[in-house]
Amino acid sequence: MGKQNDLKTKILKAAAKIINEEGIFSLTLESVAKAAGISKGGLLYHFSNKEALLEGMINYLLLNFNKDLEDNVQKDNFARGRWTRAYINLTFNQEKYDIDMNTAFLAAAAAKPDLLKTMAQQLKLVHSHIENDKIDPVIATIIRLAVDGMYFNQLYGLYLNKNLYEKILQYLISMTREDKL
């Protein structure tokens, strides 16, 4: 990753920190520049306004998640259920995707609901892969909904004990390998 991408990520993480600690209405270009340790001009070089910064957060989340999702699908030697397993594994390991960035994005989306449209379009594609993953689409959808619930649990800081967490993870994975429950 180049220096510009590293700086963009630093800016996005600074914005996420402000949103999470002070709220979306405290997010200004000046506060982000200060938190990122750069000049406002340096920030404007990468993000021309606050909306571009919030869109950058969406792009950051989607790009990283989609890349890792596709990498996991390609590494899975068992074709049946591979999209669903990749979705399970990535969502259950959400810390890799920066919980702070996710919660900040949700706060920003609450203030500006149009931001959800881009996220929804991308997730529809993922959900389509899951529903057509060579397993019963009802089971695949139930798994996806359970995994989405785990995602929100993590965003809210409601973590399960490690033993229960692992059992749920393994059970959901096993469901991708069975025709019927």
Side-chain angles (χ1 to χ4, degrees):
M1 189 176 281
K3 286 186 179 188
Q4 282 196 356
N5 285 336
D6 290 344
L7 183 54
K8 278 186 167 184
T9 299
K10 183 178 180 179
I11 293 167
L12 294 171
K13 288 185 181 229
K17 184 176 181 187
I18 290 167
I19 293 170
N20 286 321
E21 291 179 359
E22 301 172 33
I24 184 67
F25 299 110
S26 295
L27 184 73
T28 64
L29 295 178
E30 293 81 8
S31 66
V32 174
K34 182 178 179 183
I38 62 172
S39 68
K40 184 176 175 187
L43 179 121
L44 290 171
Y45 175 79
H46 295 285
F47 301 101
S48 59
N49 55 41
K50 189 160 67 168
E51 187 160 308
L53 182 63
L54 295 173
E55 287 174 8
M57 292 174 82
I58 295 169
N59 293 334
Y60 172 87
L61 291 169
L62 290 174
L63 181 72
N64 288 310
F65 188 80
N66 287 334
K67 180 189 176 307
D68 286 347
L69 184 67
E70 289 179 18
D71 287 349
N72 273 269
V73 167
Q74 295 304 316
K75 290 177 189 172
D76 192 328
N77 293 324
F78 190 65
R80 193 170 156 268
R82 68 170 43 150
W83 282 95
T84 308
R85 281 188 299 282
Y87 191 71
I88 293 166
N89 284 318
L90 291 176
T91 304
F92 265 68
N93 294 297
Q94 194 62 41
E95 68 277 355
K96 185 175 182 184
Y97 297 98
D98 198 339
I99 291 290
D100 288 343
M101 186 75 73
N102 278 280
T103 55
F105 167 73
L106 287 177
K112 187 161 179 30
D114 284 350
L115 293 172
L116 290 176
K117 288 179 183 174
T118 302
M119 182 74 80
Q121 289 172 342
Q122 287 294 315
L123 288 176
K124 281 182 186 177
L125 180 61
V126 172
H127 296 169
S128 175
H129 284 300
I130 290 171
E131 290 169 5
N132 296 292
D133 207 12
K134 299 178 182 143
I135 59 177
D136 181 329
V138 172
I139 292 173
T141 300
I142 290 169
I143 292 168
R144 181 185 58 79
L145 292 170
V147 171
D148 289 348
M150 179 59 76
Y151 166 77
F152 283 105
N153 242 22
Q154 292 173 346
L155 287 183
Y156 301 145
L158 303 172
Y159 296 97
L160 302 174
N161 76 56
K162 184 105 173 118
N163 187 40
L164 181 59
Y165 177 89
E166 287 297 324
K167 285 181 180 179
I168 292 170
L169 173 61
Q170 292 311 312
Y171 185 77
L172 290 172
I173 293 291
S174 75
M175 290 175 68
T176 68
R177 292 189 162 98
E178 296 175 19
D179 287 326
K180 299 202 189 294
L181 292 176

